PDB file of all heavy atoms in Angstrom:
ATOM      1  N   ALA A   4      77.970-126.268  93.883  1.00  0.00           N
ATOM      2  CA  ALA A   4      78.293-126.873  92.685  1.00  0.00           C
ATOM      3  C   ALA A   4      78.938-125.856  91.853  1.00  0.00           C
ATOM      4  O   ALA A   4      78.764-124.696  91.888  1.00  0.00           O
ATOM      5  CB  ALA A   4      76.950-127.100  92.030  1.00  0.00           C
ATOM      6  N   LEU A  45      64.016-140.015  77.598  1.00  0.00           N
ATOM      7  CA  LEU A  45      63.019-139.720  76.454  1.00  0.00           C
ATOM      8  C   LEU A  45      62.185-140.954  76.293  1.00  0.00           C
ATOM      9  O   LEU A  45      62.631-142.082  76.515  1.00  0.00           O
ATOM     10  CB  LEU A  45      63.607-139.217  75.291  1.00  0.00           C
ATOM     11  CG  LEU A  45      64.467-138.000  75.421  1.00  0.00           C
ATOM     12  CD1 LEU A  45      65.160-137.732  73.903  1.00  0.00           C
ATOM     13  CD2 LEU A  45      63.614-136.754  75.625  1.00  0.00           C
ATOM     14  N   LEU A  54      63.964-131.217  68.261  1.00  0.00           N
ATOM     15  CA  LEU A  54      63.923-130.653  69.551  1.00  0.00           C
ATOM     16  C   LEU A  54      64.091-129.149  69.584  1.00  0.00           C
ATOM     17  O   LEU A  54      65.048-128.577  68.791  1.00  0.00           O
ATOM     18  CB  LEU A  54      65.117-131.304  70.462  1.00  0.00           C
ATOM     19  CG  LEU A  54      65.456-130.646  71.775  1.00  0.00           C
ATOM     20  CD1 LEU A  54      64.361-130.853  72.703  1.00  0.00           C
ATOM     21  CD2 LEU A  54      66.827-131.124  72.381  1.00  0.00           C
ATOM     22  N   VAL A  65      79.174-115.244  88.388  1.00  0.00           N
ATOM     23  CA  VAL A  65      78.529-114.776  87.058  1.00  0.00           C
ATOM     24  C   VAL A  65      77.111-114.740  86.871  1.00  0.00           C
ATOM     25  O   VAL A  65      76.393-115.404  87.787  1.00  0.00           O
ATOM     26  CB  VAL A  65      79.167-115.588  85.786  1.00  0.00           C
ATOM     27  CG1 VAL A  65      80.661-115.619  85.841  1.00  0.00           C
ATOM     28  CG2 VAL A  65      78.627-117.036  85.963  1.00  0.00           C
ATOM     29  N   LEU A  69      71.200-118.244  79.659  1.00  0.00           N
ATOM     30  CA  LEU A  69      70.108-118.923  79.040  1.00  0.00           C
ATOM     31  C   LEU A  69      70.549-119.234  77.581  1.00  0.00           C
ATOM     32  O   LEU A  69      70.753-118.188  76.836  1.00  0.00           O
ATOM     33  CB  LEU A  69      68.759-118.261  79.156  1.00  0.00           C
ATOM     34  CG  LEU A  69      67.548-118.898  78.561  1.00  0.00           C
ATOM     35  CD1 LEU A  69      67.314-120.069  79.343  1.00  0.00           C
ATOM     36  CD2 LEU A  69      66.410-117.924  78.482  1.00  0.00           C
ATOM     37  N   ALA A  74      67.597-128.774  67.605  1.00  0.00           N
ATOM     38  CA  ALA A  74      68.316-129.836  67.085  1.00  0.00           C
ATOM     39  C   ALA A  74      67.354-130.894  66.350  1.00  0.00           C
ATOM     40  O   ALA A  74      66.105-130.823  66.625  1.00  0.00           O
ATOM     41  CB  ALA A  74      69.090-130.791  68.062  1.00  0.00           C
ATOM     42  N   GLY A  80      72.229-140.136  62.692  1.00  0.00           N
ATOM     43  CA  GLY A  80      72.927-139.028  63.155  1.00  0.00           C
ATOM     44  C   GLY A  80      72.056-137.830  63.681  1.00  0.00           C
ATOM     45  O   GLY A  80      70.831-137.939  63.896  1.00  0.00           O
ATOM     46  N   ALA A  81      72.749-136.639  63.999  1.00  0.00           N
ATOM     47  CA  ALA A  81      71.911-135.605  64.661  1.00  0.00           C
ATOM     48  C   ALA A  81      72.512-134.367  64.176  1.00  0.00           C
ATOM     49  O   ALA A  81      73.768-134.272  63.860  1.00  0.00           O
ATOM     50  CB  ALA A  81      71.994-135.683  66.179  1.00  0.00           C
ATOM     51  N   GLU A  89      73.204-116.418  76.207  1.00  0.00           N
ATOM     52  CA  GLU A  89      74.092-115.871  77.039  1.00  0.00           C
ATOM     53  C   GLU A  89      74.654-116.888  78.100  1.00  0.00           C
ATOM     54  O   GLU A  89      73.701-117.595  78.627  1.00  0.00           O
ATOM     55  CB  GLU A  89      73.393-114.515  77.906  1.00  0.00           C
ATOM     56  CG  GLU A  89      73.141-113.369  76.924  1.00  0.00           C
ATOM     57  CD  GLU A  89      71.897-113.673  76.154  1.00  0.00           C
ATOM     58  OE1 GLU A  89      70.936-114.316  76.763  1.00  0.00           O
ATOM     59  OE2 GLU A  89      71.787-113.278  75.035  1.00  0.00           O
ATOM     60  N   ARG A  94      78.558-114.339  75.601  1.00  0.00           N
ATOM     61  CA  ARG A  94      77.544-114.838  74.576  1.00  0.00           C
ATOM     62  C   ARG A  94      78.239-116.039  73.850  1.00  0.00           C
ATOM     63  O   ARG A  94      79.371-115.965  73.420  1.00  0.00           O
ATOM     64  CB  ARG A  94      77.148-113.745  73.694  1.00  0.00           C
ATOM     65  CG  ARG A  94      76.059-114.218  72.693  1.00  0.00           C
ATOM     66  CD  ARG A  94      75.405-113.001  71.849  1.00  0.00           C
ATOM     67  NE  ARG A  94      74.177-113.473  71.092  1.00  0.00           N
ATOM     68  CZ  ARG A  94      73.001-113.470  71.636  1.00  0.00           C
ATOM     69  NH1 ARG A  94      72.832-113.166  72.905  1.00  0.00           N
ATOM     70  NH2 ARG A  94      72.054-113.947  70.872  1.00  0.00           N
ATOM     71  N   GLY A  97      76.710-121.396  68.332  1.00  0.00           N
ATOM     72  CA  GLY A  97      77.376-122.590  67.701  1.00  0.00           C
ATOM     73  C   GLY A  97      76.303-123.398  66.915  1.00  0.00           C
ATOM     74  O   GLY A  97      75.121-123.212  66.998  1.00  0.00           O
ATOM     75  N   ARG A 100      77.166-131.089  63.825  1.00  0.00           N
ATOM     76  CA  ARG A 100      76.478-132.355  63.411  1.00  0.00           C
ATOM     77  C   ARG A 100      77.251-133.584  63.722  1.00  0.00           C
ATOM     78  O   ARG A 100      78.456-133.445  63.800  1.00  0.00           O
ATOM     79  CB  ARG A 100      76.176-132.179  61.844  1.00  0.00           C
ATOM     80  CG  ARG A 100      77.353-132.052  61.079  1.00  0.00           C
ATOM     81  CD  ARG A 100      76.827-131.795  59.618  1.00  0.00           C
ATOM     82  NE  ARG A 100      76.009-130.758  59.382  1.00  0.00           N
ATOM     83  CZ  ARG A 100      76.478-129.394  59.262  1.00  0.00           C
ATOM     84  NH1 ARG A 100      77.818-129.213  59.337  1.00  0.00           N
ATOM     85  NH2 ARG A 100      75.551-128.492  59.059  1.00  0.00           N
ATOM     86  N   LEU A 107      82.100-142.896  63.672  1.00  0.00           N
ATOM     87  CA  LEU A 107      81.742-141.709  64.297  1.00  0.00           C
ATOM     88  C   LEU A 107      82.358-140.437  63.668  1.00  0.00           C
ATOM     89  O   LEU A 107      83.562-140.208  63.757  1.00  0.00           O
ATOM     90  CB  LEU A 107      82.045-141.670  65.779  1.00  0.00           C
ATOM     91  CG  LEU A 107      81.685-140.513  66.691  1.00  0.00           C
ATOM     92  CD1 LEU A 107      80.171-140.218  66.589  1.00  0.00           C
ATOM     93  CD2 LEU A 107      82.216-140.586  68.052  1.00  0.00           C
ATOM     94  N   GLY A 117      83.094-112.502  75.135  1.00  0.00           N
ATOM     95  CA  GLY A 117      83.154-112.101  76.504  1.00  0.00           C
ATOM     96  C   GLY A 117      82.912-113.154  77.491  1.00  0.00           C
ATOM     97  O   GLY A 117      82.320-112.931  78.516  1.00  0.00           O
ATOM     98  N   THR A 120      85.919-117.697  81.887  1.00  0.00           N
ATOM     99  CA  THR A 120      86.213-119.158  82.333  1.00  0.00           C
ATOM    100  C   THR A 120      86.426-119.444  83.786  1.00  0.00           C
ATOM    101  O   THR A 120      86.594-120.588  84.156  1.00  0.00           O
ATOM    102  CB  THR A 120      87.525-119.634  81.633  1.00  0.00           C
ATOM    103  OG1 THR A 120      88.719-118.964  82.201  1.00  0.00           O
ATOM    104  CG2 THR A 120      87.590-119.204  80.089  1.00  0.00           C
ATOM    105  N   LEU A 129      90.209-116.616  82.526  1.00  0.00           N
ATOM    106  CA  LEU A 129      90.301-115.662  81.287  1.00  0.00           C
ATOM    107  C   LEU A 129      89.075-115.226  80.842  1.00  0.00           C
ATOM    108  O   LEU A 129      87.951-115.687  81.325  1.00  0.00           O
ATOM    109  CB  LEU A 129      90.904-116.531  80.208  1.00  0.00           C
ATOM    110  CG  LEU A 129      92.318-117.183  80.388  1.00  0.00           C
ATOM    111  CD1 LEU A 129      92.708-118.107  79.217  1.00  0.00           C
ATOM    112  CD2 LEU A 129      93.305-115.991  80.363  1.00  0.00           C
ATOM    113  N   LEU A 135      86.153-121.219  67.180  1.00  0.00           N
ATOM    114  CA  LEU A 135      86.809-122.403  67.266  1.00  0.00           C
ATOM    115  C   LEU A 135      85.890-123.377  66.443  1.00  0.00           C
ATOM    116  O   LEU A 135      84.695-123.304  66.488  1.00  0.00           O
ATOM    117  CB  LEU A 135      87.460-122.849  68.561  1.00  0.00           C
ATOM    118  CG  LEU A 135      86.359-123.092  69.610  1.00  0.00           C
ATOM    119  CD1 LEU A 135      85.903-124.403  69.588  1.00  0.00           C
ATOM    120  CD2 LEU A 135      86.985-122.895  70.958  1.00  0.00           C
ATOM    121  N   ASP A 164      92.229-111.825  92.914  1.00  0.00           N
ATOM    122  CA  ASP A 164      91.731-112.562  94.108  1.00  0.00           C
ATOM    123  C   ASP A 164      92.561-113.693  94.502  1.00  0.00           C
ATOM    124  O   ASP A 164      92.586-114.665  93.703  1.00  0.00           O
ATOM    125  CB  ASP A 164      90.300-112.919  93.748  1.00  0.00           C
ATOM    126  CG  ASP A 164      89.557-113.590  94.883  1.00  0.00           C
ATOM    127  OD1 ASP A 164      90.205-113.764  96.024  1.00  0.00           O
ATOM    128  OD2 ASP A 164      88.391-114.103  94.695  1.00  0.00           O
ATOM    129  N   PRO A 194     100.012-135.293  68.592  1.00  0.00           N
ATOM    130  CA  PRO A 194      99.377-133.946  68.013  1.00  0.00           C
ATOM    131  C   PRO A 194     100.246-133.412  66.884  1.00  0.00           C
ATOM    132  O   PRO A 194     101.455-133.725  66.851  1.00  0.00           O
ATOM    133  CB  PRO A 194      99.511-133.074  69.193  1.00  0.00           C
ATOM    134  CG  PRO A 194     100.678-133.679  70.141  1.00  0.00           C
ATOM    135  CD  PRO A 194     100.572-135.188  69.785  1.00  0.00           C
ATOM    136  N   PHE A 196     100.711-129.996  64.285  1.00  0.00           N
ATOM    137  CA  PHE A 196     100.375-128.407  64.369  1.00  0.00           C
ATOM    138  C   PHE A 196     100.381-127.889  62.978  1.00  0.00           C
ATOM    139  O   PHE A 196     101.572-128.259  62.211  1.00  0.00           O
ATOM    140  CB  PHE A 196     101.256-127.739  65.249  1.00  0.00           C
ATOM    141  CG  PHE A 196     101.302-128.217  66.677  1.00  0.00           C
ATOM    142  CD1 PHE A 196     102.104-129.293  67.087  1.00  0.00           C
ATOM    143  CD2 PHE A 196     100.358-127.656  67.555  1.00  0.00           C
ATOM    144  CE1 PHE A 196     102.115-129.786  68.444  1.00  0.00           C
ATOM    145  CE2 PHE A 196     100.430-128.151  68.882  1.00  0.00           C
ATOM    146  CZ  PHE A 196     101.136-129.207  69.339  1.00  0.00           C
ATOM    147  N   GLU A 203     101.361-112.722  71.773  1.00  0.00           N
ATOM    148  CA  GLU A 203     101.092-111.883  73.015  1.00  0.00           C
ATOM    149  C   GLU A 203     101.859-110.630  72.762  1.00  0.00           C
ATOM    150  O   GLU A 203     103.010-110.566  72.703  1.00  0.00           O
ATOM    151  CB  GLU A 203     101.528-112.754  74.169  1.00  0.00           C
ATOM    152  CG  GLU A 203     101.322-112.007  75.428  1.00  0.00           C
ATOM    153  CD  GLU A 203     101.794-112.694  76.735  1.00  0.00           C
ATOM    154  OE1 GLU A 203     102.367-113.777  76.561  1.00  0.00           O
ATOM    155  OE2 GLU A 203     101.344-112.308  77.687  1.00  0.00           O
ATOM    156  N   GLY A 204     101.040-109.499  72.898  1.00  0.00           N
ATOM    157  CA  GLY A 204     101.726-108.240  72.495  1.00  0.00           C
ATOM    158  C   GLY A 204     102.341-108.246  71.169  1.00  0.00           C
ATOM    159  O   GLY A 204     101.778-108.761  70.144  1.00  0.00           O
ATOM    160  N   ALA A 205     103.602-107.778  71.045  1.00  0.00           N
ATOM    161  CA  ALA A 205     104.306-107.780  69.794  1.00  0.00           C
ATOM    162  C   ALA A 205     105.113-109.065  69.593  1.00  0.00           C
ATOM    163  O   ALA A 205     105.658-109.192  68.567  1.00  0.00           O
ATOM    164  CB  ALA A 205     105.356-106.635  69.792  1.00  0.00           C
ATOM    165  N   ARG A 207     105.423-113.332  69.152  1.00  0.00           N
ATOM    166  CA  ARG A 207     104.703-114.326  68.458  1.00  0.00           C
ATOM    167  C   ARG A 207     105.445-115.633  68.438  1.00  0.00           C
ATOM    168  O   ARG A 207     106.714-115.531  68.328  1.00  0.00           O
ATOM    169  CB  ARG A 207     104.188-113.989  67.071  1.00  0.00           C
ATOM    170  CG  ARG A 207     105.233-113.851  66.074  1.00  0.00           C
ATOM    171  CD  ARG A 207     104.822-113.296  64.646  1.00  0.00           C
ATOM    172  NE  ARG A 207     104.069-114.302  64.020  1.00  0.00           N
ATOM    173  CZ  ARG A 207     104.629-115.265  63.174  1.00  0.00           C
ATOM    174  NH1 ARG A 207     105.945-115.320  63.005  1.00  0.00           N
ATOM    175  NH2 ARG A 207     103.941-116.109  62.465  1.00  0.00           N
ATOM    176  N   ARG A 209     105.240-119.605  66.185  1.00  0.00           N
ATOM    177  CA  ARG A 209     104.566-120.376  65.222  1.00  0.00           C
ATOM    178  C   ARG A 209     104.952-121.711  65.374  1.00  0.00           C
ATOM    179  O   ARG A 209     106.280-121.924  65.506  1.00  0.00           O
ATOM    180  CB  ARG A 209     104.653-119.886  63.819  1.00  0.00           C
ATOM    181  CG  ARG A 209     104.128-120.818  62.789  1.00  0.00           C
ATOM    182  CD  ARG A 209     104.004-120.261  61.379  1.00  0.00           C
ATOM    183  NE  ARG A 209     103.589-121.209  60.387  1.00  0.00           N
ATOM    184  CZ  ARG A 209     102.929-120.920  59.303  1.00  0.00           C
ATOM    185  NH1 ARG A 209     102.538-119.694  59.126  1.00  0.00           N
ATOM    186  NH2 ARG A 209     102.555-121.923  58.512  1.00  0.00           N
ATOM    187  N   SER A 218     110.612-135.787  61.335  1.00  0.00           N
ATOM    188  CA  SER A 218     110.821-134.414  61.045  1.00  0.00           C
ATOM    189  C   SER A 218     110.676-133.516  62.163  1.00  0.00           C
ATOM    190  O   SER A 218     111.219-132.418  62.104  1.00  0.00           O
ATOM    191  CB  SER A 218     109.931-134.151  59.868  1.00  0.00           C
ATOM    192  OG  SER A 218     108.509-134.321  60.249  1.00  0.00           O
ATOM    193  N   GLY A 219     109.916-134.018  63.185  1.00  0.00           N
ATOM    194  CA  GLY A 219     109.868-133.213  64.423  1.00  0.00           C
ATOM    195  C   GLY A 219     108.980-131.995  64.176  1.00  0.00           C
ATOM    196  O   GLY A 219     108.342-131.882  63.338  1.00  0.00           O
TER     197      GLY A 219
END
Side-chain angles (χ1 to χ4, degrees):
L45 301 174
L54 168 68
V65 295
L69 185 66
E89 297 76 33
R94 187 169 187 86
R100 58 185 59 85
L107 180 61
T120 69
L129 298 172
L135 56 90
D164 178 2
F196 302 90
E203 183 179 9
R207 66 186 289 273
R209 173 171 175 148
S218 58

